[in-house]
Amino acid sequence: MTDDALLRRSLDAVRTLREQVGRLRARTEEPVAVVGLGCRFPGGADTPERFWDLLREGRDGIVDVPADRWPGERWYAPDRDTPGTAYTRRGGFLAEGAHAFDASFFGVPDAEAREMDPQHRLLLEASWQALEHAGLLSGTRAEQRIGVFVGISGSENALRPRPLRDAGPYTATGSAISVAAGRVAHTLGLRGPALAVDTACSSSLLAVHLAVESLRRGECAAAVAGGVSAMLSPAVMVALSRMEALAADGRCKVFDAAADGYARAEGCGMVALMRAGDAAAVRAPVLALIRGSAVNHDGRTSGLTVPNGRAQRELIGQALETARTDPHDVDYLEAHGTGTPLGDPIEVRAAADVLCAGRTSEAPLRIGAVKSNVGHLEAAAGVAGLIKTVLALRHGEIPGNLHLRTPNPRLGVERLPVVLNDRTSPWTVHADGRPRTAGVSSFGFSGTNVHVVVTEPPAVPPRETGPERPAHVLALSARDPQGLREAAARLGDWLARHPEAALADVCHTTTARRAHFAHRAALVTASRGELTDWLAGLASAD
């Protein structure tokens, strides 16, 4: 072979390798689309819509300890020196209770359902809701790999007193942390990676970070990620009171001078994710884009649970780098914001050091924290902040913090181009076309920190359509007649909230992008009014 031929072959090989490297780099840098949301949060926020209502209306989800958990008065003492007691009896408990569960819907036998940690039940419900919202349970992707990434930090169910003679065949699987993720994959038939992670308060946002990385590596075609926490025993409340970590009045007074600890809360949040290109190809509902994320640890500090401002600065900088986003392009920070006198100032100053560089008071960084509304969901806290941020992007508003009257002087916000978001305010579109951008932080008392950079998706150009059909088919289904009535009521409520939704889109999504069950009802309709009347009749049918 001549020298010229060898040179051409070498150049062709180099060109091929460069193309391969380019494709791999593009895949690892591709944004990940949030295509579905599912939640069970305090204050009756059992859907994303109800969660948004709670946030926008400035409602507080904190209540007294329900009677079905433990006797609140028995374990309560206002004197902090009283051994074996908690100095607070309030928290963010789920309105419908952690034990409420439709076992038959998921095909779970009653005997097994009784042994399941309520966290498993909440994960099944929120994962189904997120995947159905994304249209990923319609049966058309039976051969796709969907991953399950769950943040979960222990089980208070295991702390409840129980005689060993009551142990049964489902006891081990009912309480295992690993099974919390495996059960979702098994029940829904998902064959991607399924794993549970525990980094305390940052668990759920770490689960999202791991899901993003798994999608970019091609390990799965879609994923559901988030976290769960359930308060079932007074033991943890008592232990945290001994640490004086909790607020006596049960309020997360984030960034306020009166901040004195956090309010414990429970719940579950899950997000459905796809690579942005894949989501566009199947016309999935892209709610937001995750541009980048990062994880690190505080390292050695003055105490195991003491946060590290330097580590937080490095974390945010790394996340911005992976997202290829300039610090001054971040409009809003959904802070970890627990409402502690030590943590809040460290977090705000660290974030400002990174995000306020070159920023002016005309375009301040706005900061808020969902914990002021629903409390600290611990292992599910980070995903609650992420879902809040996605909803804020969708609605063009940033909800205000509750319990913020006098800013903590240690924050130093009067010297910074920062606004503590104390009231719901518009989140306007940038005139120069830049996407609205937010950062979401979650820090574990284990020392593990996670930050995610989220933006609004690009506007979708209207697709070309043929002549409008004179009528459309809408089909609803459920496992049983009561479920069918409830499905009709939910759809009717959604239609009332979304008058802008096109009839054709509603009918197509409900009929073609949802799972179908044995009990069904269908309508051929030519108008929203006719559909609304039919749903109301179906919802109230005997």
Side-chain angles (χ1 to χ4, degrees), residues 68-86:
D68 67 343
R69 303 310 175 86
W70 62 83
E73 292 298 327
R74 177 183 173 187
W75 301 96
Y76 169 74
D79 182 355
R80 298 188 179 213
D81 294 328
T82 305
T85 64

Side-chain angles (χ1 to χ4, degrees), residues 118-133:
Q119 294 181 118
H120 294 203
R121 305 170 188 169
L122 292 169
L123 282 167
L124 280 173
E125 292 174 343
S127 297
W128 175 278
Q129 190 179 60
L131 290 169
E132 186 184 50
H133 188 193

Side-chain angles (χ1 to χ4, degrees), residues 152-175:
I152 180 171
S153 187
S155 170
E156 292 190 22
N157 196 52
L159 299 176
R160 303 169 74 191
R162 175 176 180 165
L164 287 177
R165 65 175 179 272
D166 290 345
Y170 299 112
T171 301
T173 55
S175 58

Side-chain angles (χ1 to χ4, degrees), residues 208-511:
V208 172
H209 167 78
L210 294 175
V212 168
E213 294 299 307
S214 182
L215 284 163
R216 286 174 167 170
R217 286 194 300 270
E219 293 176 342
C220 50
V224 61
V228 66
S229 180
M231 297 188 291
L232 303 166
S233 165
V236 178
M237 194 83 86
V238 170
L240 289 169
S241 291
R242 296 308 94 205
M243 292 176 63
E244 297 200 359
L246 303 179
D249 61 0
R251 293 188 174 97
C252 285
K253 297 176 283 293
V254 184
F255 313 133
D256 196 84
D260 60 348
Y262 75 87
R264 295 197 70 211
E266 65 183 2
C268 181
M270 300 295 283
V271 296
L273 305 170
M274 298 179 72
R275 290 183 293 272
D278 293 344
V282 299
R283 293 180 177 173
V286 179
L287 310 176
L289 294 176
I290 295 177
R291 296 280 182 179
S293 58
V295 57
N296 73 1
H297 192 275
D298 285 331
R300 185 182 295 277
T301 63
S302 60
L304 176 62
T305 63
V306 176
N308 184 335
R310 177 181 176 182
Q312 292 178 18
R313 290 192 297 272
E314 292 172 350
L315 173 78
I316 295 173
Q318 183 182 351
L320 290 170
E321 183 177 348
T322 63
R324 300 183 304 283
T325 299
D326 292 329
H328 58 77
D329 285 337
V330 177
D331 309 306
Y332 172 68
L333 172 65
E334 173 61 26
H336 182 61
T338 53
T340 57
L342 176 64
D344 286 1
I346 292 175
E347 178 174 13
V348 169
R349 290 198 297 265
D353 286 347
V354 180
L355 299 174
C356 292
R359 189 183 294 265
T360 66
S361 57
E362 285 74 32
L365 174 69
R366 290 188 279 180
I367 305 179
V370 73
K371 294 177 182 65
S372 70
N373 293 92
V374 294
H376 187 347
L377 278 80
E378 297 174 349
V383 76
L386 176 61
I387 291 174
K388 169 191 170 180
T389 304
V390 171
L391 292 171
L393 285 167
R394 297 293 293 171
H395 291 274
E397 291 183 313
I398 300 176
N401 268 29
L402 303 186
H403 321 307
L404 180 53
R405 296 177 176 84
T406 305
N408 186 337
R410 296 178 62 195
L411 302 177
V413 293
E414 68 281 355
R415 301 184 300 274
L416 298 168
V418 163
V419 171
L420 302 178
N421 221 62
D422 63 348
R423 66 197 66 189
T424 299
S425 56
W427 194 349
T428 55
V429 176
H430 293 295
D432 60 5
R434 289 181 297 115
R436 291 173 298 165
T437 302
V440 182
S441 290
S442 190
F443 309 142
F445 83 161
S446 64
T448 298
N449 311 308
V450 184
H451 188 82
V452 173
V453 179
V454 188
T455 68
E456 63 181 328
V460 179
R463 63 179 183 268
E464 295 183 5
T465 59
E468 177 66 22
R469 294 178 181 177
H472 305 274
V473 175
L474 183 135
L476 281 180
S477 67
R479 300 277 192 192
D480 53 47
Q482 178 60 27
L484 188 60
R485 289 190 290 271
E486 291 175 359
R490 286 195 300 270
L491 182 55
D493 179 65
W494 189 91
L495 284 170
R497 292 167 173 264
H498 297 84
E500 78 288 352
L503 179 64
D505 291 342
V506 172
C507 292
H508 170 77
T509 299
T510 305
T511 304

